[in-house]
Amino acid sequence: MDFTSLLSSFIPSWASVCLLLGFFNYLGIAGSILPGKLVPGAILADGTRLHYRCNGLLSLLLLVGLLVIGGWMDFVSLTAISDRGLELLSTTFIFSVIVTLILYMAGCKSNDRSASLKPHISGNIIDDWWFGIQLNPNFLGVDLKFFFVRAGMMGWLLINLSVLAKSIQVANLSQSMILYQLFCVIYIMDYFFYEEYMTSTWDIIAERLGFMLVFGDLVWIPFTFSIQGWWLLSNKVDLPTAAVVANCCVFVIGYLVFRGANKQKHDFKRNPKALIWGQPPKVIGGKLLVSGYWGIARHCNYLGDLLLALSFSLPCGISSPVPYFYPIYLLILLIWRERRDEARCAEKYKDVWAEYRRAVPWRILPYVY
């Protein structure tokens, strides 16, 4: 493909616009009407708290089922996303820019004094647009932050499944593609099975909704996390049995650490007396958990996330650095985020945080970092 053809493939079409808007409309309707557990969010500065309907798993299964039936009846093309990948990328990026500009203007004009919608204006336009002005803006009663995270994770799976359908269509289905798809399906389905845990993450409880989160959720997650699938669609990789076994071990260890650490943190926030590994939790300052995974490293969940990201790339072999973009990027991002978290916690907890650091000296990887 020459440069002109490549450039033209990024130009949005009405088909890509309809695909994107159709996806968002489905999520909005399904998220509002399908049954799901109503989970209370964190208590905000003014004592209020939002409630989230966690029906993402049901919404996802219903959508995939409808697409499979539609594809079987020739109503929809299962390769539509993979056929229009670059179009959808640019369309989603433009949508993210427009949405965050609207959020910025709405936030500047808001006189709401609640913790969810109170404007936080620094005076720096770029900072305010990038980091956002309001904590939990909503549209027609839908919390946009939670909605966009859900859209990004579902979008990642839909891209992968479309790439899988394309590889079957062109007779290029490989063991590596199956391995990559299997790991991603387990990870994404697990995310939605434990979707309520998302309500206690830093992004949901503390980050305002600006371009950083909107772009990250709608563009970065689905389109960069799926690079391995796109790469395998065009490249044949034959892995030896030992490599397959090692890859599976990396995935399993990463999953156990990631899910285990996040579950311990979520359970502790809901019930500070909940047992961890069969023992009462050890706490510093009445707030900081030093039991289980959180006694091994201060951000042990990041280690699990990094191992999972690596496991998604290992099916691609080592012939190219391209499929390793995701774990490399994630390593940089999580170190940056860990530094931000450390600074905020040091300011918030002061002497208690210093004591916690002495009790748990390692940041992410014990004895290394």
Side-chain angles (χ1 to χ4, degrees):
M1 182 182 292
D2 59 35
F3 180 74
T4 303
S5 299
L6 178 64
L7 195 61
S8 64
S9 64
F10 278 95
I11 299 175
S13 67
W14 284 113
S16 60
V17 172
C18 290
L19 279 172
L20 186 64
L21 294 182
F23 174 53
F24 288 147
N25 282 327
Y26 168 82
L27 285 185
I29 296 171
S32 299
I33 66 175
L34 291 180
K37 183 178 180 181
L38 199 62
V39 178
I43 298 176
L44 302 177
D46 59 0
T48 62
R49 66 196 314 173
L50 300 179
H51 288 76
Y52 302 90
R53 186 179 299 278
C54 293
N55 55 10
L57 182 60
L58 182 57
S59 299
L60 177 59
L61 293 175
L62 178 60
L63 177 58
V64 171
L66 290 173
L67 290 174
V68 170
I69 294 172
W72 178 64
M73 300 181 68
D74 290 329
F75 287 157
V76 297
S77 170
L78 297 181
T79 62
I81 297 175
S82 57
D83 292 337
R84 300 179 179 275
L86 296 180
E87 279 183 30
L88 282 167
L89 171 60
S90 59
T91 302
T92 310
F93 175 78
I94 293 170
F95 177 83
S96 299
V97 173
I98 293 172
V99 165
T100 49
L101 287 174
I102 294 173
L103 288 173
Y104 172 78
M105 291 186 290
C108 288
K109 294 180 180 179
S110 174
N111 294 317
D112 200 301
R113 309 314 296 172
S114 67
S116 290
L117 299 174
K118 180 181 178 181
H120 296 267
I121 302 174
S122 69
N124 185 317
I125 295 177
I126 300 300
D127 274 5
D128 290 340
W129 171 70
W130 179 267
F131 292 108
I133 292 178
Q134 295 175 303
L135 183 63
N136 295 109
N138 65 81
F139 178 69
L140 298 179
V142 176
D143 181 80
L144 292 178
K145 193 190 298 182
F146 195 69
F147 176 85
F148 289 147
V149 174
R150 177 180 288 183
M153 294 298 292
M154 284 194 191
W156 178 16
L157 181 61
L158 293 179
I159 290 174
N160 279 350
L161 294 180
S162 185
V163 168
L164 176 63
K166 188 70 174 181
S167 69
I168 295 173
Q169 184 184 79
V170 300
N172 189 35
L173 183 61
S174 64
Q175 181 188 56
S176 292
M177 177 68 84
I178 293 173
L179 204 59
Y180 164 73
Q181 294 284 349
L182 178 62
F183 290 159
C184 288
V185 166
I186 293 173
Y187 178 81
I188 296 169
M189 295 294 285
D190 172 83
Y191 170 87
F192 283 108
F193 186 81
Y194 293 105
E195 188 179 31
E196 66 178 273
Y197 290 4
M198 187 64 195
T199 62
S200 61
T201 60
W202 185 263
D203 284 355
I204 293 295
I205 65 178
E207 294 279 18
R208 297 187 295 275
L209 187 61
F211 183 77
M212 182 180 72
L213 285 188
V214 176
F215 172 82
D217 291 338
L218 298 184
V219 180
W220 197 259
I221 287 177
F223 289 99
T224 63
F225 289 16
S226 59
I227 285 176
Q228 300 93 324
W230 292 105
W231 192 87
L232 287 170
L233 189 59
S234 304
N235 296 271
K236 186 77 172 180
V237 178
D238 293 314
L239 295 176
T241 302
V244 172
V245 173
N247 196 172
C248 291
C249 289
V250 172
F251 174 80
V252 170
I253 294 172
Y255 173 78
L256 291 175
V257 174
F258 173 77
R259 177 51 59 213
N262 283 325
K263 186 176 188 303
Q264 287 176 355
K265 180 178 68 173
H266 180 82
D267 291 347
F268 175 72
K269 287 183 176 181
R270 296 296 185 218
N271 178 13
K273 295 182 179 180
L275 297 181
I276 295 179
W277 290 347
Q279 300 292 327
K282 297 179 181 178
V283 182
I284 289 179
K287 300 177 181 178
L288 301 177
L289 181 65
V290 291
S291 289
Y293 290 105
W294 301 96
I296 297 174
R298 299 197 294 272
H299 302 275
C300 206
N301 56 328
Y302 290 177
L303 174 60
D305 219 353
L306 288 168
L307 289 174
L308 286 170
L310 180 62
S311 74
F312 299 154
S313 298
L314 288 175
C316 301
I318 57 174
S319 62
S320 171
V322 173
Y324 290 86
F325 174 82
Y326 172 33
I328 292 171
Y329 142 77
L330 190 64
L331 176 62
I332 297 170
L333 171 71
L334 291 182
I335 289 177
W336 173 70
R337 174 170 286 188
E338 174 266 326
R339 295 283 174 158
R340 291 177 66 209
D341 290 349
E342 291 273 325
R344 286 172 173 171
C345 289
E347 181 180 354
K348 180 178 180 180
Y349 297 113
K350 298 182 172 55
D351 292 341
V352 174
W353 183 253
E355 183 182 352
Y356 174 61
R357 290 185 59 183
R358 288 192 294 269
V360 187
W362 304 107
R363 295 171 181 261
I364 296 177
L365 180 60
Y367 304 103
V368 176
Y369 177 74

